Amino acid sequence: MSMSKLVYFFGKGKAEGTGTMKYLLGGKGAGLAEMTNIGIPVPPGFSITTEACIYYYKNNKQYPDGLQEQMNENLKKLEDLMGKKLGDHHDPLLVSVRSGAKISMPGMMDTVLNLGLNNETVKGLAIKTNNERFAHDAYRRFIQMFSNVVLGVKHSDFEFILDEVKHDEGVTLDNELSTEALRNVVARYLRMLREVERIDFPQDPRQQLKMAIDAVFESWDSPRAVTYRKLYDIPDSLGTAVNVQTMVFGNMGEDCATGVAFTRNPSTGERVFYGEYLTNAQGEDVVAGIRTPRPIMYLNDEMPEAYAQLTDIYNTLENHYKDMQDIEFTIENKRLFMLQTRTGKRTAAAAIKVAVDMVEEGLITKEQALLRVDPAQLDQLLHPHIDPRAKIEVMAAGLNASPGAVSGSVVFSADDACSWAEQGKKVILVRKETSPDDIHGMAVAMGILTAHGGMTSHAAVVARGMGKSCVAGCEAIRVDEANKRFTVGNHVILEGDIITIDGSSGKVILGKAPTIEAEMTPEGITLLGWADGIRKLRIRANADDPEASRKAREFGAEGIGLCRTEHMFFAEDRLPIMQEMILAENEVERRKALDKLLPMQRGDFYEMLKAMEGLPVTIRLLDPPLHEFLPKYEDLLVEITRLEITSENKSLRLRESGLYGVIETTKQNVTDEDTKKLAEKKKLLHKVENLRELNPMLGLRGCRLGISYPEITEMQARAIIQAACDLTKDGLKVLPEIMVPLVSTVAELKTQKELIQKTAEEVFEEKGIRVDYLIGTMIELPRAAITADKIVAEAEFFSFGTNDLTQTTFGFSRDDAEGKFLDHYVETGLLAKNPFEVLDRDGVGELVKIGTEKGRSIKPDLKVGICGEHGGNPSSIEFCHMIGLNYVSCSPYRVPIARLAAAQAVLK
Amino acid sequence: MSMSKLVYFFGKGKAEGTGTMKYLLGGKGAGLAEMTNIGIPVPPGFSITTEACIYYYKNNKQYPDGLQEQMNENLKKLEDLMGKKLGDHHDPLLVSVRSGAKISMPGMMDTVLNLGLNNETVKGLAIKTNNERFAHDAYRRFIQMFSNVVLGVKHSDFEFILDEVKHDEGVTLDNELSTEALRNVVARYLRMLREVERIDFPQDPRQQLKMAIDAVFESWDSPRAVTYRKLYDIPDSLGTAVNVQTMVFGNMGEDCATGVAFTRNPSTGERVFYGEYLTNAQGEDVVAGIRTPRPIMYLNDEMPEAYAQLTDIYNTLENHYKDMQDIEFTIENKRLFMLQTRTGKRTAAAAIKVAVDMVEEGLITKEQALLRVDPAQLDQLLHPHIDPRAKIEVMAAGLNASPGAVSGSVVFSADDACSWAEQGKKVILVRKETSPDDIHGMAVAMGILTAHGGMTSHAAVVARGMGKSCVAGCEAIRVDEANKRFTVGNHVILEGDIITIDGSSGKVILGKAPTIEAEMTPEGITLLGWADGIRKLRIRANADDPEASRKAREFGAEGIGLCRTEHMFFAEDRLPIMQEMILAENEVERRKALDKLLPMQRGDFYEMLKAMEGLPVTIRLLDPPLHEFLPKYEDLLVEITRLEITSENKSLRLRESGLYGVIETTKQNVTDEDTKKLAEKKKLLHKVENLRELNPMLGLRGCRLGISYPEITEMQARAIIQAACDLTKDGLKVLPEIMVPLVSTVAELKTQKELIQKTAEEVFEEKGIRVDYLIGTMIELPRAAITADKIVAEAEFFSFGTNDLTQTTFGFSRDDAEGKFLDHYVETGLLAKNPFEVLDRDGVGELVKIGTEKGRSIKPDLKVGICGEHGGNPSSIEFCHMIGLNYVSCSPYRVPIARLAAAQAVLK
């Protein structure tokens, strides 16, 4: 196969490529071409395209036809332009060979500098530069770098020699070494290579060049590069370009320098030139940390002309690229050369400030500004996060179940959490897993750490609802609740020890990590205002209590899309009543318990609806399997077994005691009490056993509860409508929307709807007032989506529950899948993304689309939203926009993200 | 609302209706009209349409406009025709009022005879018939029947009076009562009604008629009628017709008779006139059982003329209706009248014989014959069933998990089952639920009865696979395995007691119920041969061992559609190796165990493929969650708790014993052993805990196993291909089809396919021979159906696993749903059918359709089948035919059903 053009030349104000050719030339190559074309001083050179690399990998590491010839031609052109020749003993051309993919992968791939030096050319360089020391230092650096990058020899082998020579010479810094010492270093490097590694260091510069280019190609497939791409979602198929560029030197003397800078502050976004430089140094010295680089402003004092030129250039670049740039430059004998320009990475705060400032500066439009900020980054702004500059000791990592970084003393039970909190201590509640019994402890803790459970485990869901930080399913920790400690690796963490958990990243950190507080900047408010003007999707929040509702409203939520009423029952004072209701022997008993719950629920809804006055509030009827409210079957089983044996043994011992002539009359009573307790526990066990399910996710839950026990639906509907009536009487406008969960047939919805309507009419009668309300349903089962044209007959709105829909569409139980095989699927590429995080467009998304279309085929104006966790995920929001949903609903802290993502969806 | 025609007249050789108007006139009315039209003697009368009844229910029990007028007109017409008038004191017209719905509901609804009698007309009747005794007996009967049916007075109130009078008169039979006594009975009836019930018996015959018609309408909604319709799937919306017909009397003397008969034997289908009659009796006497009716053949001796006429008529009817008829007749003074003709209900054997015979007699075509047999009935033929004439005591009912009626001694453990079976005893294994540990016991038992678990519980699935009878989830029984007994109601059943279970109906019967052995009749073989000539669907069987495969082939299976390899691992000798594999710490250990399983699996497949030589065999790779092969978590937990306490107590007692001066040195060793055992058990518990899942149905199973542990897939693929190669070398033609289960993305299938192909190539190399084989997948998740156009790229066939697909599409875990809410759903009509029994066309079926269409959009010739339990359900088979599937696969015993149903699908 012959490919037309595989090498692009740049130099002397003219490049064959342009800045738009990133796909072909890589980011670096395109930047060099563009800078060359707009008249910025760039050392000439040429770029080998990514296509060559792709061909190389597809064809058993062979070059495409013509590549060698084109490289030769371009090298000739470069030699002619520079008036030097590669390998010329008197005036050798020296080049750098750098990788450069379309998407920047900093530090991931390889660079060789000073290529072209050998035992002969080093002498020519010494004479030509009139700087023998520099020439040998350059050769020393080249051997080290080439051997490492191309030949795979360890750095430490060279460092060892260098240290020995420094020791012999009695100096500490590299730049204190004499020419003679450097000559010695070179000789020892070459000997070590020959004798230890059995390598004759290649002396032919063309061979050096070929080897370096191959090494760059190879580096695309290095494990760290592969890992990086996986991490940042960069396709393996892109390949890398190779840039061969004339060397310029920042280390030829005190009128030389090298530096890196950002055109604005990448942490804050402030419009100040921001960077650092070193005089008389080569690029790698800036990062090596041996000499401390100076802030860029001092360059103005040291080399005012170069600084002025640099200022002109960075302004030109910003004006040209309309974005903040990350640049690299070298000053060789006072002459400035640009080696790289690229879009600068930045924090969320900086991204927002730069975008908003640039609109004000007239550089970009509001629409462009909106596209400049990655919505996912906003999460940083809205939760405290770990100071990125801090040195921290990460002990383990779990699931990033609920965002925010918090520190506190470790406690191992909900009760301990409460008593420590009462003493004013900040605590992190650590549990194997949480249950409804832990709610009071979770409420007072700064954060929750669990060893088991997935993103929808009790801990995760409740923590997100409460806005607490949570790291869940951290399988590396072994929690010993009984002895109040957990171990991880070699660490043993006792009650009271301080740890930090970062629910945004899943990290568990030893000690108190410094954190940065969350805040929404003025520029953020401006930007989100622009987003609101553009987006078509409405944004609602998932919130279960007035506190979270207020927070959501503050963040711009336009309603509550999902209020999970079951969370209201987990409260400490309510759980016993809930259990009473569940354990009731008959409807009469059940209604008694429900009567106690009614005023509590009414109070909840009163406060919720009040907090969201004027905005719609979607309240979902009771959803989870009832056994979630009961003690765990296994715990009861163990308890009963213990009681049984104790009782058996006591009888036995009584008999034995009798044999020994000892009378223990008191024991008999104890045994009677035990028997009674045992009987009670057994009864409870029997109840729990009856409610227990093999696959509770697919069992008696959702509307199946309300259908089996209509009195539950009745109580909830009554509480909602009563609260709405009371608030309306108080002069407030409320918009309750009652949502029936887990519907699979229209008949289910119909029966629940009729019951709700009947109850509502009773309340209207009793209160002497009517309120508007809607009845709708969650579409969260494939059958509901497939038969949405039938279900819609009874629904005033649809809300897609994409969490459950993902579970049933894939047949993945999230709690089981994430620990057991889903990670493996994502790691090995069987799934591009975890479908619980990013909506699976082909499968689950297709069902959402089908459901929406079928629903609207009957009711064209049907209001449709989603209320799964996908509601806060930008890619999923984009999909929701594309298929014409009315709204997305997400957790309060993700509302700003959703606002921005929804605007971007319009603009994309 | 005015309805055109609400009443249809019949009489004197001409009827307004016809036999095709069952929907409007009901079965009885249409039959009467048709008989009238073809010249058969029928007492004249008129039918009020079902539309009138439907209107009545829709309009608050009002008659439609015009009904009363039309009734009056028709009554007038009838009076004119008969020359008698309703209520005429001298020659009163007497009528019967009978219900008659489109679909016969025998005994469910109401009938009033002799209507028109009152204190005056009874005298006229006496004079006119010259039979005073008859007239008063008729009045007595009328009062009793009318009061019961129309006025709701209990039968016993009348029986009490009748018995008193008989006692006073010193007679035992009703027909021994004198005229005077009957007059006395009438008087006492009327007095009782007046004084006890506060009812003046209506004397106005028109009022009687109106009341009787209303009562018939009302009877449509009686609880027993509603229950019956539910049971037999008769829509509530049909309504009933009302037939008002001139009375004829079989009880006017010895030249009178009444009888019921079938034109052929309804048990065997034999072509003999079959029925019974009573002389001098009214219809209800035949069923009342006071006098024993005589076989119909004796009528030829008693009333040869009437018998000859009857013979003519029944031949006419069979020739006219082309089907076996169930008739009612009355002979009044030697004159024959037909009161009813309808299609006769029959046993499966009779249905087949009648259909095949009628083809031979030239009455019907083969196609018609095929439509005459209900495929579901065939089940009766293929399993032993309880003799319908036997008197049995049903103790409880569970799920009809695996068909067939069997008797045996009750045992409560698999080991007991084995030791009893070794002694040559037939046993029924009774368990709370079964687990893999019970397999050896299930294998030797006649049948299995469990208290818990649904249609897909371990017991049910394994029993069906083994062809054993099974009643599962019989919640009414309380099993006490420890004490070897179970209780149900007042019964206590001990080990060794004989019970019978009927896996076809779910009944559990005390003692040994007489059963009828299964056999396929010659006519059945003929009929199924015709079916094979017509059907388009291929029929395969689900079979997991050579025995079942041979059975399936015998029943006409054209291949194996589903061989569940996991069942092979449950065998007693293999389970330990399977557990070794699962508990392996690493791949090396796991491969060691798999190496032991390989020859066993190869042997299985060798035998299976051999048994199905020349036919395709679809082998599904390992599917269930691995913890199904391990001991139960709860059992281990209890065991460990016991061991822990024992160990604690022993230490304690050792110390205490010391106090009492008693030295128990041996105990120390026991404690050490205990500690060791405890540690082992704890390790096992930990493993089981790790494999345990919250929702195993949606967890690590199906292809997720083969992806997580590729060596399992490798072993299975190797075993299949090795067996295929060996058989091919032996000169046999084998067609293995390897099926990858539970695929949700094409990537999953691709990785498994590549592994299978690689393994196959290795085997071909090693064996020096190649065999043809296919690789396909099960479509059993909604996502697989929705993305079938992508998945098909890697699949050579699709098999819809409609069991799992139903679970995920509905979000119903079958095991949980059937006990908890699904029954309630079906009972209350929220679901028309249990979707696990009958394929849900709107939801699950739609996904099957989508999946098939999408698959064939890419590969038009793609072979598609289903292998869920629906493959043996006629309605589901019809759907599969409609959407163009290639085959259905069902359990071996359902293959004949499927063959017939597939033919019917073509004909319908």
Side-chain angles (χ1 to χ4, degrees), chain A residues 294-598:
Chain A
R294 305 191 74 191
I296 196 83
M297 68 185 87
Y298 295 113
L299 187 63
N300 198 14
D301 302 334
E302 291 197 60
M303 301 182 197
E305 274 173 48
Y307 187 79
Q309 200 188 350
L310 191 59
T311 306
D312 280 351
I313 287 172
Y314 87 68
N315 279 322
T316 306
L317 286 172
E318 260 211 355
N319 275 307
H320 183 74
Y321 282 106
K322 316 282 190 198
D323 202 353
M324 188 247 273
Q325 295 297 298
D326 168 359
I327 57 173
E328 285 178 32
F329 63 90
T330 286
I331 300 167
E332 181 182 282
N333 305 129
K334 296 193 179 163
R335 234 178 114 195
L336 177 67
F337 293 94
M338 299 302 293
L339 298 179
Q340 173 150 305
T341 188
R342 62 184 176 193
T343 307
K345 289 199 195 289
R346 64 206 81 178
T347 64
I352 293 169
K353 183 162 171 54
V354 168
V356 172
D357 283 356
M358 282 191 170
V359 173
E360 279 162 16
E361 291 160 27
L363 275 179
I364 57 174
T365 64
K366 287 177 184 175
E367 287 76 13
Q368 286 171 319
L370 285 166
L371 288 169
R372 283 285 165 83
V373 181
D374 178 1
Q377 272 192 313
L378 286 184
D379 218 17
Q380 275 184 31
L381 285 193
L382 301 169
H383 295 280
H385 49 283
I386 292 170
D387 187 338
R389 291 160 309 186
K391 213 162 163 69
I392 55 174
E393 183 172 1
V394 177
M395 294 188 289
L399 298 170
N400 50 342
S402 181
V406 291
S407 304
S409 305
V410 167
V411 292
F412 292 91
S413 79
D415 291 341
D416 289 341
C418 289
S419 57
W420 282 63
E422 272 167 29
Q423 295 161 38
K425 299 229 177 83
K426 293 184 173 178
V427 297
I428 307 284
L429 177 60
V430 180
R431 303 280 295 161
K432 277 185 187 164
E433 58 201 336
T434 63
S435 77
D437 293 337
D438 296 321
I439 294 280
H440 58 298
M442 296 171 77
V444 299
M446 300 300 294
I448 297 105
L449 168 63
T450 65
H452 306 301
M455 292 294 284
T456 50
S457 61
H458 179 265
V461 171
V462 172
R464 283 196 294 275
M466 289 179 169
K468 301 271 175 193
S469 173
C470 175
V471 173
C474 183
E475 302 281 350
I477 69 170
R478 294 184 78 97
V479 179
D480 181 355
E481 288 161 357
N483 295 307
K484 298 194 177 181
R485 61 187 204 169
F486 76 84
T487 55
V488 50
N490 297 322
H491 298 288
V492 180
I493 310 294
L494 304 176
E495 187 182 47
D497 288 354
I498 305 280
I499 65 167
T500 303
I501 60 172
D502 182 5
S504 308
S505 68
K507 284 176 186 154
V508 180
I509 296 148
L510 192 65
K512 180 165 170 35
T515 56
I516 295 172
E517 273 314 298
E519 65 176 309
M520 182 56 89
T521 58
E523 288 87 357
I525 293 165
T526 303
L527 191 80
L528 288 174
W530 296 342
D532 293 344
I534 282 172
R535 67 183 160 87
K536 300 274 179 277
L537 281 170
R538 312 289 285 177
I539 312 297
R540 296 193 185 188
N542 301 347
D544 308 332
D545 57 60
E547 184 50 45
S549 303
R550 276 187 285 270
K551 194 85 204 162
R553 200 166 185 158
E554 204 179 299
F555 281 138
E558 297 161 296
I560 299 298
L562 177 63
C563 167
R564 287 155 295 207
T565 53
E566 56 270 24
H567 291 164
M568 299 170 171
F569 297 125
F570 283 128
E572 208 181 355
D573 55 335
R574 301 182 183 185
L575 195 56
I577 309 174
M578 191 66 188
Q579 292 179 341
E580 186 186 325
M581 194 277 285
I582 296 166
L583 298 173
E585 296 286 341
N586 51 48
E587 192 188 319
V588 175
E589 297 284 318
R590 197 154 44 240
R591 282 190 182 274
K592 264 190 209 159
L594 285 168
D595 285 348
K596 292 185 212 165
L597 289 172
L598 175 67

Side-chain angles (χ1 to χ4, degrees), chain B residues 18-22 26-38 40 42 263 313-327 340-344 346 358 363-364 368 372:
Chain B
T18 70
T20 60
M21 295 166 79
K22 278 189 183 178
K28 187 188 290 279
L32 292 171
E34 191 72 10
M35 285 195 290
T36 303
N37 281 331
I38 62 174
I40 288 169
V42 169
T263 56
I313 286 173
Y314 87 68
N315 278 320
T316 305
L317 285 173
E318 260 210 355
N319 275 305
H320 183 74
Y321 282 105
K322 317 283 191 199
D323 202 354
M324 189 248 272
Q325 296 294 298
D326 168 1
I327 57 173
Q340 172 152 305
T341 188
R342 61 184 177 193
T343 306
R346 64 205 81 179
M358 283 190 169
L363 274 179
I364 57 174
Q368 286 170 319
R372 284 285 164 81

Side-chain angles (χ1 to χ4, degrees), chain B residues 654-840:
Chain B
L654 269 178
R655 285 199 302 281
E656 290 190 359
S657 304
L659 283 179
Y660 294 121
V662 180
I663 298 154
E664 296 179 79
T665 45
T666 53
K667 292 237 168 144
Q668 190 60 48
N669 295 328
V670 178
T671 305
D672 282 352
E673 259 172 45
D674 287 352
T675 310
K676 201 174 143 200
K677 192 172 169 195
L678 184 61
E680 270 168 25
K681 286 281 173 190
K682 276 192 171 171
K683 200 175 150 196
L684 183 58
L685 182 83
H686 189 67
K687 269 275 178 189
V688 175
E689 190 175 13
N690 276 345
L691 284 169
R692 230 177 143 214
E693 294 177 306
L694 289 173
N695 297 283
M697 192 67 69
L698 308 178
L700 181 57
R701 51 171 290 233
C703 68
R704 300 163 198 171
L705 285 173
I707 289 168
S708 298
Y709 307 110
E711 50 278 10
I712 299 179
T713 299
E714 214 182 300
M715 182 279 282
Q716 293 202 296
R718 188 173 300 277
I720 295 165
I721 301 294
Q722 283 179 342
C725 286
D726 291 347
L727 283 161
T728 306
K729 279 187 179 173
D730 296 351
L732 275 72
K733 175 142 188 66
V734 291
L735 299 161
E737 303 182 337
I738 301 176
M739 182 154 72
V740 179
L742 213 74
V743 157
S744 65
T745 71
V746 65
E748 292 175 311
L749 179 57
K750 186 161 187 279
T751 166
Q752 289 286 285
K753 182 184 167 187
E754 285 168 355
L755 181 58
I756 295 163
Q757 284 175 331
K758 184 174 149 284
T759 308
E761 291 302 324
E762 285 168 15
V763 176
F764 294 157
E765 181 75 19
E766 155 202 318
K767 296 270 179 189
I769 193 173
R770 298 188 71 84
V771 295
D772 287 336
Y773 68 101
L774 300 181
I775 301 176
T777 188
M778 274 183 97
I779 304 288
E780 50 186 335
L781 294 170
R783 194 179 191 282
I786 293 283
T787 63
D789 47 346
K790 297 197 171 69
I791 288 173
V792 76
E794 305 293 335
E796 290 173 290
F797 63 88
F798 277 178
S799 177
F800 284 89
T802 50
N803 291 353
D804 266 303
L805 192 59
T806 299
Q807 296 201 92
T808 43
T809 303
F810 271 94
F812 287 170
S813 157
R814 185 168 188 177
D815 284 317
D816 301 313
E818 286 188 335
K820 294 237 159 56
F821 58 88
L822 201 49
D823 299 345
H824 174 71
Y825 270 38
V826 175
E827 274 161 26
T828 57
L830 281 174
L831 279 173
K833 295 278 186 180
N834 179 336
F836 293 106
E837 289 166 11
V838 180
L839 188 74
D840 158 54

Side-chain angles (χ1 to χ4, degrees), chain B residues 204-253:
Chain B
D204 175 1
R206 289 189 177 248
Q207 194 196 346
Q208 290 172 359
L209 183 59
K210 171 81 168 63
M211 289 171 80
I213 289 167
D214 285 357
V216 170
F217 282 166
E218 289 292 330
S219 72
W220 177 253
D221 222 23
S222 71
R224 60 179 180 160
V226 170
T227 306
Y228 185 94
R229 287 201 293 275
K230 186 79 62 197
L231 213 59
Y232 290 92
D233 282 321
I234 302 170
D236 287 339
S237 59
L238 289 182
T240 182
V242 186
N243 300 293
V244 179
Q245 192 176 19
T246 309
M247 281 299 304
V248 288
F249 297 97
N251 58 341
M252 282 174 74

Side-chain angles (χ1 to χ4, degrees), chain A residues 75 86 95 97 115 205-213 244:
Chain A
L75 179 61
L86 195 67
V95 295
V97 178
L115 188 140
R206 288 193 177 245
Q207 192 197 348
Q208 290 172 358
L209 183 59
K210 171 80 168 62
M211 290 171 81
I213 289 167
V244 178

Side-chain angles (χ1 to χ4, degrees), chain A residues 793-866:
Chain A
E794 304 295 334
E796 289 173 291
F797 63 88
F798 277 178
S799 178
F800 283 90
T802 49
N803 291 353
D804 266 304
L805 193 58
T806 300
Q807 297 202 96
T808 43
T809 303
F810 272 94
F812 287 170
S813 157
R814 185 169 187 176
D815 283 318
D816 300 313
E818 287 189 335
K820 293 234 161 57
F821 59 85
L822 201 48
D823 299 345
H824 175 71
Y825 269 39
V826 175
E827 273 161 28
T828 56
L830 281 174
L831 280 172
K833 296 277 185 181
N834 179 336
F836 292 106
E837 289 167 11
V838 179
L839 188 74
D840 157 53
R841 296 187 184 191
D842 288 348
V844 180
E846 185 65 21
L847 281 171
V848 173
K849 194 159 160 268
I850 290 170
T852 305
E853 284 168 359
K854 287 199 169 191
R856 291 204 179 133
S857 73
I858 306 296
K859 293 187 180 170
D861 295 332
L862 184 74
K863 185 167 64 172
V864 182
I866 76 163

Side-chain angles (χ1 to χ4, degrees), chain B residues 116-180:
Chain B
L117 284 173
N118 60 21
N119 296 344
E120 296 307 318
T121 58
V122 68
K123 294 173 198 162
L125 183 66
I127 294 164
K128 193 74 191 173
T129 58
N130 197 20
N131 191 337
E132 208 175 357
R133 193 192 170 283
F134 160 73
H136 285 93
D137 189 44
Y139 192 25
R140 190 264 312 168
R141 288 170 185 261
F142 171 57
I143 294 169
Q144 193 167 343
M145 203 177 255
F146 187 93
S147 298
N148 177 252
V149 167
V150 181
L151 305 174
V153 182
K154 290 197 302 291
H155 260 303
S156 54
D157 290 350
F158 297 100
E159 295 297 339
F160 178 76
I161 292 170
L162 196 62
D163 285 347
E164 275 195 340
V165 176
K166 281 195 281 189
H167 184 258
D168 292 349
E169 298 280 311
V171 302
T172 44
L173 293 178
D174 294 3
N175 61 359
E176 293 167 339
L177 284 171
S178 66
T179 305
E180 204 44 49

